Amino acid sequence: MSPPAVDRMFVTSVWLQCIIYGFNCVLFGVCMYVIFIRNKSAHWIVPLSCIFHFSMATVHIIISFLYALQGLTDPAVISVPYGSTLYFASVTALWSTMTGLYLFNVLVLHFLLIWRFYLVWNRNLVATIILLILEVGHLATALAAWGMVTHSREIDEPIALHVATGLFILNIVLTIYLTSGIAYRLWRAGADTFDLTGHNAYKPAIYTIIQCGALYTSSIVVICILRLSGQPAGLVAPYVGIQFATLTPLLLIVSLKFGVRHNET
């Protein structure tokens, strides 16, 4: 019986990465225009986060191409029956690097959301510390799963897969909590000023935050489902996840800075 065609799945994941990375390139250019030309009063964290996330996505896709070349053209790999499939299903230095980039990108994204949560909740230290503790737990789980796989040299190591599933679920919970918490606080601020303005001034921002949060959460849900179903596609799905982790903050900044308006319902 032939092993699952992980090599084809990896090529598909690179193709999907390229599509999303194209959107990221456009959004990054718009972000730089909005931050440095149209609105020069942006907090220094905003341009720094944009540059960081885009850099992570760029490095990740470059390594993905190198990974693909190594697995599909190296004579030492392709000379072995199902060599490419076995290569992409094994733990290598490139795999560890790509996984590390994804985890680091998500970590910074969460810290960025926690910072925004801290600001909109009037610098509420108690709530922020609780979120930071949850994020430390999320990071510890990620490092544990990564360490187990690296030590065993098997991507589908059973215990590591269970830990990784818990990692993705915790990622979903944190993202939903942060997104809904920011949106709720903005809604309350708009409701408090409704009598003066006659409308909720923060409604466009609320819709934008919810939509961007839902976009990123959906990508994590797909990865989690593929992992839980035991499909081989679950092995390569996180490679696409880093592009969504970059797309979300860039899209959020562009939408908020350009003042996206939504129709009243």
Side-chain angles (χ1 to χ4, degrees):
M1 181 178 178
S2 62
V6 181
D7 52 346
R8 295 182 181 179
M9 296 177 187
F10 179 78
V11 171
T12 302
S13 73
V14 174
W15 175 70
L16 291 173
Q17 280 191 72
C18 291
I19 294 176
I20 304 172
Y21 181 73
F23 286 105
N24 287 336
C25 289
V26 175
L27 289 174
F28 179 73
V30 176
C31 281
M32 294 299 98
Y33 164 76
V34 168
I35 293 171
F36 292 110
I37 298 178
R38 181 172 177 176
N39 182 11
K40 298 182 180 181
S41 60
H43 194 282
W44 63 268
I45 290 181
V46 176
L48 183 62
S49 63
C50 288
I51 295 172
F52 170 82
H53 286 295
F54 184 73
S55 298
M56 290 294 101
T58 301
V59 173
H60 190 277
I61 203 165
I62 291 173
I63 296 177
S64 296
F65 279 116
L66 296 176
Y67 197 22
L69 287 174
Q70 182 74 16
L72 299 174
T73 63
D74 189 346
V77 174
I78 61 178
S79 61
V80 179
Y82 305 110
S84 295
T85 294
L86 295 175
Y87 178 79
F88 290 123
S90 62
V91 178
T92 63
L94 291 176
W95 177 89
S96 297
T97 303
M98 293 170 65
T99 303
L101 288 173
Y102 173 63
L103 296 178
F104 192 32
N105 201 35
V106 171
L107 174 67
V108 174
L109 174 61
H110 280 171
F111 277 125
L112 181 62
L113 288 174
I114 292 173
W115 172 68
R116 293 182 181 276
F117 184 95
Y118 171 73
L119 292 180
V120 299
W121 279 88
N122 294 327
R123 294 174 167 79
N124 188 319
L125 284 177
V126 176
T128 304
I129 290 174
I130 293 174
L131 288 171
L132 288 174
I133 293 174
L134 291 175
E135 183 55 40
V136 170
H138 174 257
L139 176 61
T141 306
L143 293 176
W146 191 25
M148 289 178 187
V149 172
T150 304
H151 179 73
S152 65
R153 311 300 296 179
E154 297 179 4
I155 292 181
D156 56 350
E157 203 278 330
I159 298 179
L161 286 178
H162 290 303
V163 175
T165 300
L167 167 67
F168 288 121
I169 293 175
L170 185 57
N171 193 351
I172 293 171
V173 172
L174 268 171
T175 304
I176 292 176
Y177 185 83
L178 285 167
T179 303
S180 59
I182 295 172
Y184 172 76
R185 185 61 177 177
L186 291 177
W187 176 80
R188 284 294 304 271
D192 292 340
T193 60
F194 183 83
D195 293 336
L196 298 175
T197 62
H199 66 282
N200 192 323
Y202 296 101
K203 195 171 184 179
I206 294 171
Y207 278 125
T208 300
I209 291 170
I210 292 176
Q211 289 171 358
C212 291
L215 176 65
Y216 175 68
T217 303
S218 299
S219 69
I220 302 301
V221 169
V222 171
I223 295 174
C224 190
I225 291 174
L226 290 174
R227 286 279 189 176
L228 291 174
S229 64
Q231 295 295 325
L235 298 176
V236 299
Y239 299 146
V240 186
I242 189 172
Q243 299 299 332
F244 280 102
T246 297
L247 176 70
T248 301
L250 296 181
L251 181 61
L252 179 63
I253 292 171
V254 170
S255 299
L256 292 178
K257 293 299 181 180
F258 273 103
V260 176
R261 293 293 183 268
H262 299 263
N263 293 330
E264 296 288 334
T265 57

